[in-house]
Amino acid sequence: MNVLLLGSGGREHALAWKLAQSPLMGAFFAVPGNPGIAEHATCFENIPLTDHDAIVALCGAEKIDLVVVGPEAPLVDGIADRLIAEGIPVFGPRQVAAQLEGSKLFTKELCKAHDIPTAAFGRFDDREQARAFVRRQGAPIVLKADGLMAGKGVIVALTLEEALDGVDEVFDMGGIGTEILIEEFLEGEEVSFFCLVDGETVLPFGSAQDHKRAFDGDEGPNTGGMGAYSPAPVFTAELERRTLHEIIRPTARALADADSPYRGVLFAGLMLTQQGPKLIEYNVRFGDPECQVLMLRLDGDLLPLLHAVATGQLENQDIALKPEAAITVVLAARGYPGAYEKGSRIAGIGAAESIPGAKVFHAGTKRSGSDIVANGGRVLNVTAIGANVAEARERAYDAAARIDWPEGFYRTDIAWRALGAEPT
Ligand code: AMP
Ligand code: GLY
């Protein structure tokens, strides 16, 4: 099977690494790829993900049998619709279904119409009405701009004053014509849950938790994610069963019934509240860096699973995960998520990977002559699998210590929650 992978981050390197192990793999290509992905696939680094014509042309020229879409933006832009129109199977939903991530309002209305547990909400296009609603509800309260905001666009206001200022902030972020969402504040532990969906069949792909804040102790600014681990010990088999029954399957059913079946990985951000799991948000792709830990745990071949999603044949498949735990530590450029320098040299990746169970994924790197240099904010994902979270964590940190990159930093407390929950 000839495969084209779209994307250039650590998530896509993890997908490429796993896909390349498949005995079914034929020729393997990536757009635009990165130096880690280039170890497995031929990369077309000059084709931007926004150039759908060039991607379709490449599929024709290389006789691609499956396109795997890593990030959300091309899906929200309709790449799956374009490829399907050309008869090319694609892992990733069409534009209508990608609204699950592209439009928070779409998701909230879908939840409301189908009794899917989520935070109560109001929607406003008028600042004064939004402020009046905030005054009536009081704090804490959550404000959100609609649309793809790359993790921004959400304010969790703990005081009434913060909430009232936040109304202006969110309207300003969204620009003209913005609608904002004002949500009930949910209390509990957050967990990420991943399922493959082929329109009808839903197969759970496991849980994970990530760390969004930049610094130890969950301090500092929000980031794309500084580390993750899988499984999430709080997400018991019973909670998974409830989530499938109350949230994931009703969502898949609603979309299928509306003639916009969801095909791809459905990533549910959940809050485990006193009343049970509630949906915070959906994403239409694997999490980054959650994908990295899931790929280490996946037992067996990824390629037939993704192909079955693309072709509606998931009922004949099953997903087996190793019972072990995996963790990933993000090495970021100093200054991230603010301003940072690019171009510093990174050494020691081979030494890091000599630790048993360890694998280093490239997230934001570039090749410069024979060197690997930093080329982004989140630069490497040092990932490891072990018998339990404690062992996986020790291996990941031993590996991270072997990376020679003075211009980088990482959190030293990834998986602290899981360690507390693990029997010692
Ligand atoms: P989102 O972009 O919707 O995932 O929101 C970003 C983060 O804000 C989430 O990961 C939660 O930590 C927090 N958040 C979002 N909605 C709520 C809510 N209704 N109650 C409490 N926290 C929330
Ligand atoms: N790590 C969170 C995300 O991928 O959205």
Side-chain angles (χ1 to χ4, degrees), residues 282-340:
Y282 275 131
N283 296 300
V284 298
R285 49 169 175 88
F286 280 108
D288 189 349
E290 292 93 328
C291 183
Q292 289 80 318
V293 285
L294 293 176
M295 289 307 120
L296 257 70
R297 289 191 63 220
L298 179 63
D299 208 358
D301 196 344
L302 178 64
L303 185 46
L305 286 172
L306 303 191
H307 188 257
V309 168
T311 53
Q313 301 180 72
L314 204 51
E315 65 184 333
N316 305 319
Q317 299 283 333
D318 68 326
I319 301 176
L321 292 177
K322 297 174 184 163
E324 285 105 322
I327 131 163
T328 187
V329 177
V330 173
L331 271 58
R334 284 188 195 280
Y336 173 80
Y340 54 81

Side-chain angles (χ1 to χ4, degrees), residues 11 210 212 224-225 267 281 283 285-290 378:
R11 166 180 51 210
D210 77 342
K212 292 219 166 65
F267 164 2
E281 62 158 3
N283 296 300
R285 49 169 175 88
F286 280 108
D288 189 349
E290 292 93 328
R378 293 192 292 174

